[in-house]
PDB file of all heavy atoms in Angstrom:
ATOM      1  N   ALA A 153       8.597 -12.605  31.094  1.00 96.00           N
ATOM      2  CA  ALA A 153       9.986 -12.132  31.351  1.00 96.00           C
ATOM      3  C   ALA A 153      10.413 -11.101  30.354  1.00 96.00           C
ATOM      4  O   ALA A 153      11.497 -10.406  30.533  1.00 96.00           O
ATOM      5  CB  ALA A 153      10.930 -13.315  31.324  1.00 96.00           C
ATOM      6  N   TYR A 154       9.679 -10.932  29.258  1.00 97.00           N
ATOM      7  CA  TYR A 154       9.996  -9.967  28.206  1.00 97.00           C
ATOM      8  C   TYR A 154       9.105  -8.763  28.219  1.00 97.00           C
ATOM      9  O   TYR A 154       9.011  -7.998  27.221  1.00 97.00           O
ATOM     10  CB  TYR A 154       9.912 -10.623  26.841  1.00 97.00           C
ATOM     11  CG  TYR A 154      10.837 -11.881  26.729  1.00 97.00           C
ATOM     12  CD1 TYR A 154      10.359 -13.135  27.007  1.00 97.00           C
ATOM     13  CD2 TYR A 154      12.185 -11.705  26.371  1.00 97.00           C
ATOM     14  CE1 TYR A 154      11.212 -14.227  26.957  1.00 97.00           C
ATOM     15  CE2 TYR A 154      13.039 -12.814  26.289  1.00 97.00           C
ATOM     16  CZ  TYR A 154      12.519 -14.088  26.571  1.00 97.00           C
ATOM     17  OH  TYR A 154      13.392 -15.160  26.508  1.00 97.00           O
ATOM     18  N   GLY A 155       8.384  -8.548  29.300  1.00 97.00           N
ATOM     19  CA  GLY A 155       7.437  -7.509  29.442  1.00 97.00           C
ATOM     20  C   GLY A 155       6.018  -8.008  29.088  1.00 97.00           C
ATOM     21  O   GLY A 155       5.805  -9.218  28.934  1.00 97.00           O
ATOM     22  N   ASP A 156       5.071  -7.132  29.077  1.00 98.00           N
ATOM     23  CA  ASP A 156       3.672  -7.517  28.801  1.00 98.00           C
ATOM     24  C   ASP A 156       3.483  -7.785  27.316  1.00 98.00           C
ATOM     25  O   ASP A 156       3.758  -6.908  26.464  1.00 98.00           O
ATOM     26  CB  ASP A 156       2.702  -6.386  29.230  1.00 98.00           C
ATOM     27  CG  ASP A 156       2.605  -6.243  30.756  1.00 98.00           C
ATOM     28  OD1 ASP A 156       3.014  -7.198  31.452  1.00 98.00           O
ATOM     29  OD2 ASP A 156       2.212  -5.154  31.194  1.00 98.00           O
ATOM     30  N   LEU A 157       2.981  -8.989  27.038  1.00 98.00           N
ATOM     31  CA  LEU A 157       2.571  -9.313  25.662  1.00 98.00           C
ATOM     32  C   LEU A 157       1.100  -8.916  25.502  1.00 98.00           C
ATOM     33  O   LEU A 157       0.323  -8.983  26.454  1.00 98.00           O
ATOM     34  CB  LEU A 157       2.774 -10.807  25.386  1.00 98.00           C
ATOM     35  CG  LEU A 157       4.208 -11.345  25.433  1.00 98.00           C
ATOM     36  CD1 LEU A 157       4.223 -12.818  25.147  1.00 98.00           C
ATOM     37  CD2 LEU A 157       5.092 -10.583  24.514  1.00 98.00           C
ATOM     38  N   GLU A 158       0.734  -8.527  24.302  1.00 98.00           N
ATOM     39  CA  GLU A 158      -0.637  -8.168  23.981  1.00 98.00           C
ATOM     40  C   GLU A 158      -1.351  -9.355  23.368  1.00 98.00           C
ATOM     41  O   GLU A 158      -0.818  -9.981  22.415  1.00 98.00           O
ATOM     42  CB  GLU A 158      -0.672  -6.948  23.024  1.00 98.00           C
ATOM     43  CG  GLU A 158      -0.041  -5.701  23.612  1.00 98.00           C
ATOM     44  CD  GLU A 158      -0.073  -4.582  22.635  1.00 98.00           C
ATOM     45  OE1 GLU A 158       0.819  -4.473  21.766  1.00 98.00           O
ATOM     46  OE2 GLU A 158      -1.055  -3.766  22.686  1.00 98.00           O
ATOM     47  N   ILE A 159      -2.536  -9.637  23.840  1.00 98.00           N
ATOM     48  CA  ILE A 159      -3.351 -10.766  23.340  1.00 98.00           C
ATOM     49  C   ILE A 159      -4.664 -10.246  22.838  1.00 98.00           C
ATOM     50  O   ILE A 159      -5.394  -9.543  23.573  1.00 98.00           O
ATOM     51  CB  ILE A 159      -3.591 -11.809  24.452  1.00 98.00           C
ATOM     52  CG1 ILE A 159      -2.335 -12.127  25.213  1.00 98.00           C
ATOM     53  CG2 ILE A 159      -4.255 -13.052  23.837  1.00 98.00           C
ATOM     54  CD1 ILE A 159      -1.213 -12.794  24.404  1.00 98.00           C
ATOM     55  N   THR A 160      -5.024 -10.639  21.606  1.00 97.00           N
ATOM     56  CA  THR A 160      -6.345 -10.331  21.079  1.00 97.00           C
ATOM     57  C   THR A 160      -6.985 -11.645  20.564  1.00 97.00           C
ATOM     58  O   THR A 160      -6.295 -12.469  19.997  1.00 97.00           O
ATOM     59  CB  THR A 160      -6.334  -9.298  19.914  1.00 97.00           C
ATOM     60  OG1 THR A 160      -5.609  -9.878  18.812  1.00 97.00           O
ATOM     61  CG2 THR A 160      -5.701  -8.023  20.319  1.00 97.00           C
ATOM     62  N   VAL A 161      -8.297 -11.733  20.846  1.00 96.00           N
ATOM     63  CA  VAL A 161      -9.054 -12.807  20.161  1.00 96.00           C
ATOM     64  C   VAL A 161      -9.921 -12.128  19.105  1.00 96.00           C
ATOM     65  O   VAL A 161     -10.723 -11.241  19.450  1.00 96.00           O
ATOM     66  CB  VAL A 161      -9.920 -13.584  21.190  1.00 96.00           C
ATOM     67  CG1 VAL A 161     -10.837 -14.604  20.512  1.00 96.00           C
ATOM     68  CG2 VAL A 161      -9.058 -14.272  22.214  1.00 96.00           C
ATOM     69  N   ASN A 162      -9.672 -12.479  17.857  1.00 92.00           N
ATOM     70  CA  ASN A 162     -10.240 -11.773  16.755  1.00 92.00           C
ATOM     71  C   ASN A 162     -11.728 -12.151  16.529  1.00 92.00           C
ATOM     72  O   ASN A 162     -12.040 -13.236  16.066  1.00 92.00           O
ATOM     73  CB  ASN A 162      -9.438 -12.056  15.510  1.00 92.00           C
ATOM     74  CG  ASN A 162     -10.038 -11.385  14.267  1.00 92.00           C
ATOM     75  OD1 ASN A 162     -10.730 -10.327  14.352  1.00 92.00           O
ATOM     76  ND2 ASN A 162      -9.744 -11.979  13.068  1.00 92.00           N
ATOM     77  N   LEU A 163     -12.629 -11.230  16.884  1.00 91.00           N
ATOM     78  CA  LEU A 163     -14.046 -11.448  16.752  1.00 91.00           C
ATOM     79  C   LEU A 163     -14.688 -10.485  15.715  1.00 91.00           C
ATOM     80  O   LEU A 163     -15.883 -10.512  15.531  1.00 91.00           O
ATOM     81  CB  LEU A 163     -14.752 -11.292  18.049  1.00 91.00           C
ATOM     82  CG  LEU A 163     -14.264 -12.243  19.208  1.00 91.00           C
ATOM     83  CD1 LEU A 163     -14.904 -11.905  20.497  1.00 91.00           C
ATOM     84  CD2 LEU A 163     -14.528 -13.690  18.879  1.00 91.00           C
ATOM     85  N   SER A 164     -13.830  -9.694  15.077  1.00 86.00           N
ATOM     86  CA  SER A 164     -14.387  -8.659  14.177  1.00 86.00           C
ATOM     87  C   SER A 164     -14.683  -9.192  12.782  1.00 86.00           C
ATOM     88  O   SER A 164     -15.474  -8.588  12.024  1.00 86.00           O
ATOM     89  CB  SER A 164     -13.425  -7.479  14.072  1.00 86.00           C
ATOM     90  OG  SER A 164     -12.166  -7.876  13.616  1.00 86.00           O
ATOM     91  N   LYS A 165     -14.000 -10.275  12.386  1.00 74.00           N
ATOM     92  CA  LYS A 165     -14.274 -10.864  11.038  1.00 74.00           C
ATOM     93  C   LYS A 165     -15.412 -11.850  11.190  1.00 74.00           C
ATOM     94  O   LYS A 165     -15.292 -12.891  11.797  1.00 74.00           O
ATOM     95  CB  LYS A 165     -13.065 -11.564  10.478  1.00 74.00           C
ATOM     96  CG  LYS A 165     -11.998 -10.624   9.954  1.00 74.00           C
ATOM     97  CD  LYS A 165     -10.908 -11.434   9.238  1.00 74.00           C
ATOM     98  CE  LYS A 165      -9.835 -10.518   8.664  1.00 74.00           C
ATOM     99  NZ  LYS A 165      -8.788 -11.250   7.957  1.00 74.00           N
ATOM    100  N   PRO A 166     -16.619 -11.521  10.605  1.00 65.00           N
ATOM    101  CA  PRO A 166     -17.712 -12.434  10.761  1.00 65.00           C
ATOM    102  C   PRO A 166     -17.511 -13.765  10.034  1.00 65.00           C
ATOM    103  O   PRO A 166     -16.938 -13.770   8.916  1.00 65.00           O
ATOM    104  CB  PRO A 166     -18.888 -11.657  10.141  1.00 65.00           C
ATOM    105  CG  PRO A 166     -18.264 -10.699   9.211  1.00 65.00           C
ATOM    106  CD  PRO A 166     -16.925 -10.383   9.790  1.00 65.00           C
ATOM    107  N   GLU A 167     -17.885 -14.850  10.624  1.00 63.00           N
ATOM    108  CA  GLU A 167     -17.801 -16.151  10.020  1.00 63.00           C
ATOM    109  C   GLU A 167     -18.976 -16.349   9.075  1.00 63.00           C
ATOM    110  O   GLU A 167     -20.071 -15.936   9.380  1.00 63.00           O
ATOM    111  CB  GLU A 167     -17.724 -17.278  11.057  1.00 63.00           C
ATOM    112  CG  GLU A 167     -16.488 -17.220  11.965  1.00 63.00           C
ATOM    113  CD  GLU A 167     -16.429 -18.375  12.916  1.00 63.00           C
ATOM    114  OE1 GLU A 167     -17.249 -19.253  12.821  1.00 63.00           O
ATOM    115  OE2 GLU A 167     -15.540 -18.333  13.796  1.00 63.00           O
ATOM    116  N   LYS A 168     -18.730 -16.987   7.930  1.00 59.00           N
ATOM    117  CA  LYS A 168     -19.816 -17.224   6.997  1.00 59.00           C
ATOM    118  C   LYS A 168     -20.698 -18.373   7.535  1.00 59.00           C
ATOM    119  O   LYS A 168     -20.213 -19.356   8.016  1.00 59.00           O
ATOM    120  CB  LYS A 168     -19.246 -17.595   5.607  1.00 59.00           C
ATOM    121  CG  LYS A 168     -18.517 -16.449   4.923  1.00 59.00           C
ATOM    122  CD  LYS A 168     -18.158 -16.812   3.511  1.00 59.00           C
ATOM    123  CE  LYS A 168     -17.445 -15.666   2.855  1.00 59.00           C
ATOM    124  NZ  LYS A 168     -18.233 -14.462   2.712  1.00 59.00           N
ATOM    125  N   ASP A 169     -22.024 -18.182   7.343  1.00 61.00           N
ATOM    126  CA  ASP A 169     -22.931 -19.243   7.793  1.00 61.00           C
ATOM    127  C   ASP A 169     -23.085 -20.252   6.689  1.00 61.00           C
ATOM    128  O   ASP A 169     -22.666 -20.027   5.546  1.00 61.00           O
ATOM    129  CB  ASP A 169     -24.293 -18.642   8.250  1.00 61.00           C
ATOM    130  CG  ASP A 169     -25.035 -17.956   7.169  1.00 61.00           C
ATOM    131  OD1 ASP A 169     -24.886 -18.384   5.970  1.00 61.00           O
ATOM    132  OD2 ASP A 169     -25.781 -17.055   7.422  1.00 61.00           O
ATOM    133  N   PRO A 170     -23.646 -21.453   6.936  1.00 61.00           N
ATOM    134  CA  PRO A 170     -23.746 -22.496   5.964  1.00 61.00           C
ATOM    135  C   PRO A 170     -24.474 -22.059   4.667  1.00 61.00           C
ATOM    136  O   PRO A 170     -24.112 -22.479   3.561  1.00 61.00           O
ATOM    137  CB  PRO A 170     -24.553 -23.588   6.718  1.00 61.00           C
ATOM    138  CG  PRO A 170     -24.198 -23.367   8.139  1.00 61.00           C
ATOM    139  CD  PRO A 170     -24.127 -21.879   8.289  1.00 61.00           C
ATOM    140  N   LYS A 171     -25.436 -21.192   4.780  1.00 64.00           N
ATOM    141  CA  LYS A 171     -26.168 -20.693   3.587  1.00 64.00           C
ATOM    142  C   LYS A 171     -25.223 -19.948   2.655  1.00 64.00           C
ATOM    143  O   LYS A 171     -25.235 -20.148   1.422  1.00 64.00           O
ATOM    144  CB  LYS A 171     -27.359 -19.803   4.003  1.00 64.00           C
ATOM    145  CG  LYS A 171     -28.185 -19.338   2.816  1.00 64.00           C
ATOM    146  CD  LYS A 171     -29.193 -18.276   3.229  1.00 64.00           C
ATOM    147  CE  LYS A 171     -30.258 -18.817   4.179  1.00 64.00           C
ATOM    148  NZ  LYS A 171     -31.311 -17.806   4.458  1.00 64.00           N
ATOM    149  N   GLU A 172     -24.410 -19.086   3.242  1.00 63.00           N
ATOM    150  CA  GLU A 172     -23.425 -18.316   2.451  1.00 63.00           C
ATOM    151  C   GLU A 172     -22.404 -19.220   1.759  1.00 63.00           C
ATOM    152  O   GLU A 172     -22.025 -19.064   0.623  1.00 63.00           O
ATOM    153  CB  GLU A 172     -22.757 -17.250   3.298  1.00 63.00           C
ATOM    154  CG  GLU A 172     -23.655 -16.153   3.777  1.00 63.00           C
ATOM    155  CD  GLU A 172     -22.954 -15.233   4.755  1.00 63.00           C
ATOM    156  OE1 GLU A 172     -22.008 -15.678   5.438  1.00 63.00           O
ATOM    157  OE2 GLU A 172     -23.339 -14.054   4.776  1.00 63.00           O
ATOM    158  N   ILE A 173     -21.979 -20.219   2.533  1.00 62.00           N
ATOM    159  CA  ILE A 173     -20.955 -21.184   1.989  1.00 62.00           C
ATOM    160  C   ILE A 173     -21.564 -21.922   0.788  1.00 62.00           C
ATOM    161  O   ILE A 173     -20.896 -22.137  -0.227  1.00 62.00           O
ATOM    162  CB  ILE A 173     -20.505 -22.140   3.073  1.00 62.00           C
ATOM    163  CG1 ILE A 173     -19.714 -21.375   4.134  1.00 62.00           C
ATOM    164  CG2 ILE A 173     -19.618 -23.257   2.486  1.00 62.00           C
ATOM    165  CD1 ILE A 173     -19.372 -22.162   5.359  1.00 62.00           C
ATOM    166  N   ALA A 174     -22.811 -22.318   0.892  1.00 64.00           N
ATOM    167  CA  ALA A 174     -23.510 -22.999  -0.185  1.00 64.00           C
ATOM    168  C   ALA A 174     -23.640 -22.080  -1.416  1.00 64.00           C
ATOM    169  O   ALA A 174     -23.449 -22.527  -2.570  1.00 64.00           O
ATOM    170  CB  ALA A 174     -24.868 -23.480   0.273  1.00 64.00           C
ATOM    171  N   LEU A 175     -23.937 -20.806  -1.201  1.00 63.00           N
ATOM    172  CA  LEU A 175     -24.111 -19.875  -2.307  1.00 63.00           C
ATOM    173  C   LEU A 175     -22.786 -19.637  -3.034  1.00 63.00           C
ATOM    174  O   LEU A 175     -22.777 -19.385  -4.239  1.00 63.00           O
ATOM    175  CB  LEU A 175     -24.616 -18.518  -1.767  1.00 63.00           C
ATOM    176  CG  LEU A 175     -26.104 -18.490  -1.303  1.00 63.00           C
ATOM    177  CD1 LEU A 175     -26.399 -17.188  -0.625  1.00 63.00           C
ATOM    178  CD2 LEU A 175     -27.030 -18.691  -2.501  1.00 63.00           C
ATOM    179  N   LEU A 176     -21.669 -19.717  -2.312  1.00 62.00           N
ATOM    180  CA  LEU A 176     -20.358 -19.500  -2.931  1.00 62.00           C
ATOM    181  C   LEU A 176     -20.062 -20.494  -4.076  1.00 62.00           C
ATOM    182  O   LEU A 176     -19.313 -20.188  -4.993  1.00 62.00           O
ATOM    183  CB  LEU A 176     -19.271 -19.564  -1.901  1.00 62.00           C
ATOM    184  CG  LEU A 176     -19.120 -18.356  -0.949  1.00 62.00           C
ATOM    185  CD1 LEU A 176     -18.153 -18.657   0.204  1.00 62.00           C
ATOM    186  CD2 LEU A 176     -18.717 -17.112  -1.695  1.00 62.00           C
ATOM    187  N   LYS A 177     -20.656 -21.662  -3.983  1.00 62.00           N
ATOM    188  CA  LYS A 177     -20.446 -22.680  -5.050  1.00 62.00           C
ATOM    189  C   LYS A 177     -20.922 -22.185  -6.414  1.00 62.00           C
ATOM    190  O   LYS A 177     -20.418 -22.671  -7.432  1.00 62.00           O
ATOM    191  CB  LYS A 177     -21.118 -23.987  -4.690  1.00 62.00           C
ATOM    192  CG  LYS A 177     -20.643 -24.645  -3.409  1.00 62.00           C
ATOM    193  CD  LYS A 177     -21.464 -25.899  -3.101  1.00 62.00           C
ATOM    194  CE  LYS A 177     -20.948 -26.521  -1.779  1.00 62.00           C
ATOM    195  NZ  LYS A 177     -21.774 -27.711  -1.437  1.00 62.00           N
ATOM    196  N   ASN A 178     -21.843 -21.277  -6.433  1.00 67.00           N
ATOM    197  CA  ASN A 178     -22.415 -20.814  -7.711  1.00 67.00           C
ATOM    198  C   ASN A 178     -21.864 -19.483  -8.121  1.00 67.00           C
ATOM    199  O   ASN A 178     -22.324 -18.928  -9.131  1.00 67.00           O
ATOM    200  CB  ASN A 178     -23.965 -20.717  -7.551  1.00 67.00           C
ATOM    201  CG  ASN A 178     -24.599 -21.995  -7.183  1.00 67.00           C
ATOM    202  OD1 ASN A 178     -24.222 -23.030  -7.756  1.00 67.00           O
ATOM    203  ND2 ASN A 178     -25.560 -21.976  -6.295  1.00 67.00           N
ATOM    204  N   VAL A 179     -20.916 -18.925  -7.340  1.00 72.00           N
ATOM    205  CA  VAL A 179     -20.328 -17.614  -7.703  1.00 72.00           C
ATOM    206  C   VAL A 179     -19.375 -17.785  -8.845  1.00 72.00           C
ATOM    207  O   VAL A 179     -18.490 -18.622  -8.838  1.00 72.00           O
ATOM    208  CB  VAL A 179     -19.634 -16.966  -6.496  1.00 72.00           C
ATOM    209  CG1 VAL A 179     -18.919 -15.654  -6.926  1.00 72.00           C
ATOM    210  CG2 VAL A 179     -20.614 -16.713  -5.385  1.00 72.00           C
ATOM    211  N   GLN A 180     -19.544 -16.962  -9.900  1.00 73.00           N
ATOM    212  CA  GLN A 180     -18.644 -17.033 -11.022  1.00 73.00           C
ATOM    213  C   GLN A 180     -17.250 -16.566 -10.601  1.00 73.00           C
ATOM    214  O   GLN A 180     -17.069 -15.569  -9.948  1.00 73.00           O
ATOM    215  CB  GLN A 180     -19.175 -16.092 -12.154  1.00 73.00           C
ATOM    216  CG  GLN A 180     -18.336 -16.153 -13.418  1.00 73.00           C
ATOM    217  CD  GLN A 180     -18.926 -15.314 -14.549  1.00 73.00           C
ATOM    218  OE1 GLN A 180     -20.037 -14.711 -14.346  1.00 73.00           O
ATOM    219  NE2 GLN A 180     -18.246 -15.206 -15.667  1.00 73.00           N
ATOM    220  N   SER A 181     -16.254 -17.362 -11.017  1.00 77.00           N
ATOM    221  CA  SER A 181     -14.869 -17.017 -10.650  1.00 77.00           C
ATOM    222  C   SER A 181     -14.436 -15.722 -11.348  1.00 77.00           C
ATOM    223  O   SER A 181     -14.887 -15.415 -12.476  1.00 77.00           O
ATOM    224  CB  SER A 181     -13.953 -18.153 -10.958  1.00 77.00           C
ATOM    225  OG  SER A 181     -13.925 -18.372 -12.367  1.00 77.00           O
ATOM    226  N   SER A 182     -13.601 -14.964 -10.688  1.00 84.00           N
ATOM    227  CA  SER A 182     -13.116 -13.698 -11.257  1.00 84.00           C
ATOM    228  C   SER A 182     -11.732 -13.369 -10.688  1.00 84.00           C
ATOM    229  O   SER A 182     -11.446 -13.703  -9.510  1.00 84.00           O
ATOM    230  CB  SER A 182     -14.086 -12.553 -10.890  1.00 84.00           C
ATOM    231  OG  SER A 182     -13.536 -11.296 -11.261  1.00 84.00           O
ATOM    232  N   ARG A 183     -10.933 -12.787 -11.558  1.00 88.00           N
ATOM    233  CA  ARG A 183      -9.597 -12.371 -11.074  1.00 88.00           C
ATOM    234  C   ARG A 183      -9.525 -10.837 -11.030  1.00 88.00           C
ATOM    235  O   ARG A 183      -8.496 -10.267 -11.139  1.00 88.00           O
ATOM    236  CB  ARG A 183      -8.513 -12.928 -11.979  1.00 88.00           C
ATOM    237  CG  ARG A 183      -8.214 -14.389 -11.756  1.00 88.00           C
ATOM    238  CD  ARG A 183      -7.568 -14.606 -10.384  1.00 88.00           C
ATOM    239  NE  ARG A 183      -6.203 -14.070 -10.326  1.00 88.00           N
ATOM    240  CZ  ARG A 183      -5.606 -13.800  -9.198  1.00 88.00           C
ATOM    241  NH1 ARG A 183      -6.236 -13.969  -8.047  1.00 88.00           N
ATOM    242  NH2 ARG A 183      -4.384 -13.281  -9.158  1.00 88.00           N
ATOM    243  N   TYR A 184     -10.713 -10.215 -10.819  1.00 95.00           N
ATOM    244  CA  TYR A 184     -10.743  -8.723 -10.682  1.00 95.00           C
ATOM    245  C   TYR A 184     -11.466  -8.427  -9.433  1.00 95.00           C
ATOM    246  O   TYR A 184     -12.561  -8.889  -9.206  1.00 95.00           O
ATOM    247  CB  TYR A 184     -11.482  -8.100 -11.881  1.00 95.00           C
ATOM    248  CG  TYR A 184     -11.511  -6.614 -11.773  1.00 95.00           C
ATOM    249  CD1 TYR A 184     -10.464  -5.821 -12.214  1.00 95.00           C
ATOM    250  CD2 TYR A 184     -12.628  -5.995 -11.198  1.00 95.00           C
ATOM    251  CE1 TYR A 184     -10.509  -4.435 -12.135  1.00 95.00           C
ATOM    252  CE2 TYR A 184     -12.686  -4.557 -11.088  1.00 95.00           C
ATOM    253  CZ  TYR A 184     -11.604  -3.807 -11.551  1.00 95.00           C
ATOM    254  OH  TYR A 184     -11.609  -2.464 -11.393  1.00 95.00           O
ATOM    255  N   PRO A 185     -10.872  -7.647  -8.555  1.00 96.00           N
ATOM    256  CA  PRO A 185      -9.457  -7.281  -8.516  1.00 96.00           C
ATOM    257  C   PRO A 185      -8.592  -8.550  -8.276  1.00 96.00           C
ATOM    258  O   PRO A 185      -9.122  -9.538  -7.746  1.00 96.00           O
ATOM    259  CB  PRO A 185      -9.385  -6.295  -7.328  1.00 96.00           C
ATOM    260  CG  PRO A 185     -10.796  -5.844  -7.141  1.00 96.00           C
ATOM    261  CD  PRO A 185     -11.692  -6.925  -7.523  1.00 96.00           C
ATOM    262  N   LYS A 186      -7.314  -8.425  -8.583  1.00 95.00           N
ATOM    263  CA  LYS A 186      -6.454  -9.614  -8.472  1.00 95.00           C
ATOM    264  C   LYS A 186      -6.303 -10.096  -7.043  1.00 95.00           C
ATOM    265  O   LYS A 186      -6.129 -11.234  -6.762  1.00 95.00           O
ATOM    266  CB  LYS A 186      -5.073  -9.324  -9.071  1.00 95.00           C
ATOM    267  CG  LYS A 186      -5.114  -9.170 -10.579  1.00 95.00           C
ATOM    268  CD  LYS A 186      -3.711  -8.848 -11.100  1.00 95.00           C
ATOM    269  CE  LYS A 186      -3.761  -8.676 -12.623  1.00 95.00           C
ATOM    270  NZ  LYS A 186      -2.422  -8.329 -13.181  1.00 95.00           N
TER     271      LYS A 186
END
Side-chain angles (χ1 to χ4, degrees):
Y154 302 94
D156 289 340
L157 298 180
E158 297 180 274
I159 313 295
T160 63
V161 176
N162 177 25
L163 303 173
S164 60
K165 283 188 179 181
E167 296 183 7
K168 293 189 181 296
D169 64 29
K171 183 189 294 185
E172 291 174 333
I173 294 171
L175 289 171
L176 285 171
K177 296 177 182 177
N178 301 318
V179 175
Q180 184 177 356
S181 62
S182 172
R183 284 292 293 159
Y184 181 84
K186 291 179 181 177

